[in-house]
Amino acid sequence: MPGERNDPIQRVGDWLSTARRVAVLTGAGVSAESGLPTFRGAGSGWAGFNDASLASPDGFTANPDRVWQWHEGLRARVAEVTPNAAHRALAELGRRLGARGGRLTLITQNIDGLHQRAGSEGVLELHGSLLRARCMACRQRIAMGIDVPITRTAPACGGCGQPLRPDVVWFGEALPAETLDQAVESAADCELFLSVGTSAVVYPAAGLIDLALRSGARTVEINPQPTAYTPRLAASIRGPAGDILARLIEPCRPPHPA
Ligand code: BJW
Ligand code: ZN
């Protein structure tokens, strides 16, 4: 477009500094710089667990403690790490947009709670949270924050005594309906959509990118690697999320008071 700058960071920074409705979809790459493994990369967090016979309701029913222990291992790692520059930049972007009457909808596939620990509010967790457990029988939920001690066996539900499972979404399971509805609404209604640190292969989360494209939003990817969506996007920025997001939000800095 006329007047747009060539450098994608400057161009997307300009878009960010004027947009009022921004939606961001994040994936495991956003937490990589905190030291958490991604799902599909080298040293994947799924090593030994990418088998549907385990990461599934049937797998849990057959062997609750094994599935529980695997997730507890991940929760222990989450407790050891802290939010990184990418989480902090997105929290700051939410504040800056809010201060000028705009809105950031932060949609995450991550289950690690790091966006919230960085200060983001209203995070839409599409794939649930490692920091909660729930009962498959009576639907009770309990908090399993990073301060809750790690256990080797799945705790019993206080309501019905059945083993509690991690409150995450496994393949073939429905995403939390209200959360997904809100994510769909924000993707269809935003002016600018950022897809950050996700391979964009898992649906319906990746479908939010299609929705943003169809609704005419400027749609941007931040990822060291291309994805299947790259050719269709308004801009693709190659690099680590922390560095890139910190630079992108610079032009949104509120003016100094006189
Ligand atoms: C960096 C970086 C740095 C590195 N900076 N970047 C077609 C349409 C709709 C659905 C389907 C479909 N085909 C198949 C399906 C079903 C299925 C699906 O999508 N399968 C695909 C694999 C094909 N989807 C489902 O089953 C979903 N449910 C569903 O569809 O239900 C239907 C239903 C309706 C009504 C009733 C009943 C059912 C559920 C999906 C659940 C996903 N769950 C997981 C695991 C949860 C936790 C656990 O088990 O412990 O969620 S899978 C895993 O993948 C995890 C992640 O959230 C998700 C996405 O991965 P993500 O975040 O993109 O990570 P990676 O590792 O793939 O990518 C990391 C990226 O970061 C890479 O690109 C790197 O380059 C980059 N990176 N360093 C920035 N520093
Ligand atoms: Zn119960």
Side-chain angles (χ1 to χ4, degrees):
M1 271 180 221
E4 287 200 330
R5 301 203 266 181
N6 277 338
D7 173 43
I9 296 203
Q10 289 181 339
R11 196 161 75 240
V12 177
D14 287 346
W15 294 344
L16 257 185
S17 66
T18 52
R20 292 175 75 82
R21 297 182 313 283
V22 179
V24 179
L25 172 69
T26 65
V30 157
S31 296
E33 291 158 71
S34 290
L36 294 180
T38 59
F39 281 88
R40 293 172 183 80
S44 149
W46 264 13
F49 199 70
N50 53 3
D51 179 350
S53 68
L54 279 174
S56 66
D58 286 348
F60 180 77
T61 305
N63 202 336
D65 290 341
R66 183 154 177 225
V67 176
W68 180 261
Q69 272 169 32
W70 188 87
H71 284 86
E72 283 291 82
L74 202 51
R75 191 166 66 89
R77 291 188 76 164
V78 167
E80 285 165 5
V81 306
T82 51
N84 64 51
H87 302 107
R88 290 194 297 274
L90 289 171
E92 182 59 26
L93 178 63
R95 287 188 287 271
R96 290 183 187 179
L97 275 171
R100 64 165 198 251
R103 191 181 68 232
L104 171 71
T105 306
L106 182 50
I107 308 161
T108 190
Q109 299 166 83
N110 298 346
I111 57 174
D112 56 30
L114 287 174
H115 284 306
Q116 291 90 333
R117 279 167 66 192
S120 284
E121 290 177 5
V123 181
L124 300 178
E125 294 180 312
L126 291 178
H127 294 162
S129 174
L130 200 55
L131 308 180
R132 285 190 308 267
R134 72 177 162 91
C135 177
M136 292 208 286
C138 75
R139 294 171 189 231
Q140 275 207 21
R141 283 187 160 78
I142 63 162
M144 295 291 300
I146 53 173
D147 46 342
V148 175
I150 302 295
T151 63
R152 289 185 60 77
T153 54
C157 169
C160 70
Q162 291 293 308
L164 293 174
R165 59 165 276 183
D167 192 9
V168 299
V169 182
W170 289 318
F171 281 120
E173 293 189 300
L175 276 61
E178 199 181 319
T179 306
L180 180 59
D181 285 350
Q182 288 174 282
V184 164
E185 203 177 303
S186 68
D189 179 52
C190 66
E191 297 154 60
L192 180 59
F193 185 97
L194 307 183
S195 169
V196 189
T198 176
S199 57
V201 296
V202 174
Y203 288 82
L208 296 170
I209 306 173
D210 293 287
L211 214 54
L213 284 166
R214 274 204 302 275
S215 75
R218 283 173 164 144
T219 304
V220 175
E221 167 182 82
I222 300 168
N223 196 315
Q225 302 294 331
T227 70
Y229 282 92
T230 304
R232 296 162 60 197
L233 303 178
S236 284
I237 306 179
R238 299 271 156 264
D243 174 52
I244 304 289
L245 284 169
R247 290 161 66 191
L248 281 181
I249 69 163
E250 267 301 305
C252 308
R253 188 178 285 284
H256 285 297

